[in-house]
């Protein structure tokens, strides 16, 4: 058995648990909270509710909604200035992947100083972060439970991955009610992000028996509830199932890490600002086809988890069923299928492939990939 460690925050799960945000912050010793969120979350009314819960327990607060999708270095540096000027002593990330990534990046800079680029890579954070609570408003990104944050270097146009045990939040709150204000497109995209986390974690070279059970169950739950969650904002059973599946997939990928889909999606976000979930959904079947020879048995298991009939099939045939099942899910939920729909052209492919080949997520991909092979996968997804 390989040596591994397993990291997870305190998790509070369930309908209506947003109301525990105030007492959670107090428990961590907060007196003035810096809340990182975005305009969409504000419009949905969740910031007002969260702020009320902070007021109820006598906490001061400052709300910051500047971060954009794929948060940028200059945004998080501005956030850090506001945090320090405001005399805050704890951070809450309330949002989807971008707001939570921005909250974590502000937390790094608040106590460690310097530029966010200084922390690119693994284990570069030396000083403890302020108390950090993350509340997910989407079911997919997983940042509320992971040891990672991703920030765009605006000069290099590269998504930097920062990994450290310090980035595991102190408390993660997952309230499925928050999913009821998300439209079908975002539900589909974030759901495909969660499925990608689960599949990449399941076939990762760093997978462990602990991450396997989490990833496998996440694949089962997403396969059986994502369609229903996309179909209706008010199907609370589907929302609860997706919230749990996203949580399981997030913990699995935080500990087993990712693979070529994320390595290739990151430069699409950095260079072309493509939404993360959409990039994953397009790339996932193509990367699965590339990885097939490295993890045929695992794909056959994924086919079973996705509800495919595999009796009587060879392992190879069953593995191919997993790829077909992913494609059918993408098509049922209306996910985009071609990178050209986002303006990607042949001329972009070499630069994207060069950056993807250097992405840390590639290290745990089950099949080694050269720049040329990565370029072929992008080309197939055009
Ligand atoms: Fe992701």
């Amino acid at each position: 058995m390989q040596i591994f460690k397993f990291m997870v925050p305190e998790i509070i799960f369930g309908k209506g648990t947003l109301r525990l945000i105030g007492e959670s912050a107090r428990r961590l010793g907060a007196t003035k909270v810096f809340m990182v969120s975005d305009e969409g979350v504000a419009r949905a009314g969740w910031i007002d509710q969260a702020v009320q819960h902070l007021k109820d327990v006598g906490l001061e607060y400052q709300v910051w909604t500047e971060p954009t999708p794929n948060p940028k270095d200059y945004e998080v540096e501005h956030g850090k200035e506001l945090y320090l000027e405001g005399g805050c002593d704890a951070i809450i990330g309330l949002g989807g992947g971008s707001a939570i990534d921005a909250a974590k990046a502000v937390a790094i800079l608040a106590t460690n100083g310097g530029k966010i680029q200084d922390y690119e890579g693994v284990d570069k954070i030396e000083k403890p972060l302020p108390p950090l609570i993350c509340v997910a408003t989407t079911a997919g990104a997983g940042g509320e439970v992971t040891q990672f944050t991703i920030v765009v270097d605006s000069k290099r146009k590269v998504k930097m991955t920062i990994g450290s045990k310090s980035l595991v939040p102190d408390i993660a709150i997952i309230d499925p009610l928050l999913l009821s204000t998300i439209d079908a497109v975002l539900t589909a995209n974030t759901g495909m992000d969660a499925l990608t986390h689960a599949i990449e974690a399941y076939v990762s070279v760093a997978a462990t028996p602990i991450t396997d059970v989490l990833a496998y169950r996440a694949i089962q739950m997403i396969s059986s509830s994502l369609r229903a969650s996309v179909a209706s904002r008010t199907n609370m059973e589907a929302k609860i199932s997706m919230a749990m599946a996203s949580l399981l997939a997030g913990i699995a990928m935080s500990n087993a890490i990712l693979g070529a889909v994320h390595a290739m999606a990151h430069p699409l976000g950095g260079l072309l600002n493509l939404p993360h979930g959409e990039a994953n959904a397009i790339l996932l079947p193509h990367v699965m086809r590339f990885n097939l020879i490295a993890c045929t048995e695992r794909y056959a298991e994924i086919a079973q988890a996705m509800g495919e009939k595999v009796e009587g099939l060879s392992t190879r045939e069953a593995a191919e069923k997993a790829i077909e099942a992913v494609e059918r899910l993408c098509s049922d939920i209306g996910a985009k299928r071609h990178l050209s729909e986002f303006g990607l052209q042949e001329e972009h492919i070499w630069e994207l492939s060069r950056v993807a080949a250097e992405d840390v997520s590639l290290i745990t991909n089950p099949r080694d990939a050269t720049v040329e092979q990565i370029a072929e996968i992008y080309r197939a997804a055009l």
Side-chain angles (χ1 to χ4, degrees), residues 223-244:
S223 305
S224 62
S225 54
L226 181 55
R227 290 173 179 86
S229 185
V230 169
S232 163
R233 279 179 195 233
T234 54
N235 184 339
M236 200 36 66
E237 200 184 323
K239 302 295 172 199
I240 291 170
S241 180
M242 280 307 300
M244 178 55 78

Side-chain angles (χ1 to χ4, degrees), residues 10-265:
E10 174 184 332
I11 293 165
I12 302 175
F13 183 95
K15 259 170 79 181
T17 49
L18 179 63
R19 71 175 186 277
L20 300 176
I21 200 170
E23 71 172 66
S24 297
R26 273 206 91 84
R27 220 159 22 92
L28 296 173
T31 59
K32 182 170 180 182
V33 167
F34 190 70
M35 187 184 288
V36 181
S37 192
D38 64 45
E39 290 302 326
V41 178
R43 276 194 300 277
W46 300 118
I47 295 182
D48 289 346
Q49 284 204 26
V51 158
Q52 188 56 50
H53 297 309
L54 298 178
K55 284 185 194 165
D56 288 346
V57 295
L59 284 171
E60 288 188 76
Y61 61 90
Q62 184 171 341
V63 176
W64 180 59
T65 57
E66 184 188 328
T68 53
N70 298 316
K72 320 293 183 285
D73 46 7
Y74 53 86
E75 292 169 350
V76 301
E77 275 158 27
H78 185 223
K80 181 246 345 198
E81 282 165 25
L82 296 173
Y83 173 92
L84 293 176
E85 283 165 20
C88 301
D89 56 13
I91 298 182
I92 292 179
L94 171 66
S98 298
I100 287 176
D101 278 347
K104 289 179 168 186
V106 170
I108 297 170
L109 296 174
T111 49
N112 286 265
K115 288 186 169 337
I116 197 68
Q117 282 80 355
D118 300 340
Y119 305 97
E120 183 177 5
V122 177
D123 288 338
K124 303 273 176 64
I125 300 169
E126 289 184 353
K127 295 184 188 146
L129 307 193
L132 178 64
I133 298 173
C134 290
V135 187
T137 59
T138 63
E144 66 281 2
V145 290
T146 69
Q147 52 173 328
F148 299 105
T149 184
I150 313 257
V151 179
V152 172
D153 182 322
S154 55
K155 288 212 179 70
R156 286 188 293 153
K157 294 199 172 211
V158 166
K159 269 188 155 184
M160 302 178 289
T161 299
I162 301 171
S164 164
K165 186 175 172 298
S166 310
L167 289 172
V168 178
D170 296 289
I171 300 176
I173 297 178
I174 296 105
D175 181 348
L177 267 184
L178 274 55
L179 304 179
S180 60
T181 52
I182 291 174
D183 67 27
V185 172
L186 190 57
T187 302
N189 292 340
T190 49
M192 285 308 296
D193 192 17
L195 181 65
T196 308
H197 295 157
I199 291 179
E200 295 218 289
Y202 198 67
V203 301
S204 162
V205 299
T208 68
I210 305 177
T211 59
D212 283 351
V213 290
L214 297 166
Y216 189 87
R217 185 75 183 116
I219 295 167
Q220 282 182 320
M221 293 177 84
I222 295 164
S223 305
S224 62
S225 54
L226 181 55
R227 290 173 179 86
S229 185
V230 169
S232 163
R233 279 179 195 233
T234 54
N235 184 339
M236 200 36 66
E237 200 184 323
K239 302 295 172 199
I240 291 170
S241 180
M242 280 307 300
M244 178 55 78
S246 165
L247 171 64
L248 301 179
I251 300 170
M253 71 91 165
S254 179
N255 290 283
I257 324 294
L258 292 158
V261 181
H262 275 75
M264 293 176 65

Side-chain angles (χ1 to χ4, degrees), residues 279-323:
N280 281 335
I282 296 171
L283 292 167
L284 180 59
H286 298 284
V287 169
M288 286 179 80
R289 213 158 272 127
F290 173 76
N291 282 343
L292 183 74
I293 60 161
C295 47
T296 316
E297 281 185 22
R298 289 248 147 181
Y299 278 179
E301 289 165 13
I302 289 172
Q304 270 189 303
M306 296 190 77
E308 294 295 301
K309 284 208 176 75
V310 295
E311 296 90 11
L313 298 183
S314 67
T315 308
R316 168 69 186 240
E317 285 165 340
E320 284 173 359
K321 286 268 181 195
I323 305 173

Side-chain angles (χ1 to χ4, degrees), residues 326-345:
V326 167
E327 284 176 329
R328 198 176 322 117
L329 178 59
C330 285
S331 128
D332 284 352
I333 62 174
K336 291 202 169 77
R337 306 302 301 278
H338 302 284
L339 293 170
S340 55
E341 295 174 61
F342 292 95
L344 189 85
Q345 293 167 6

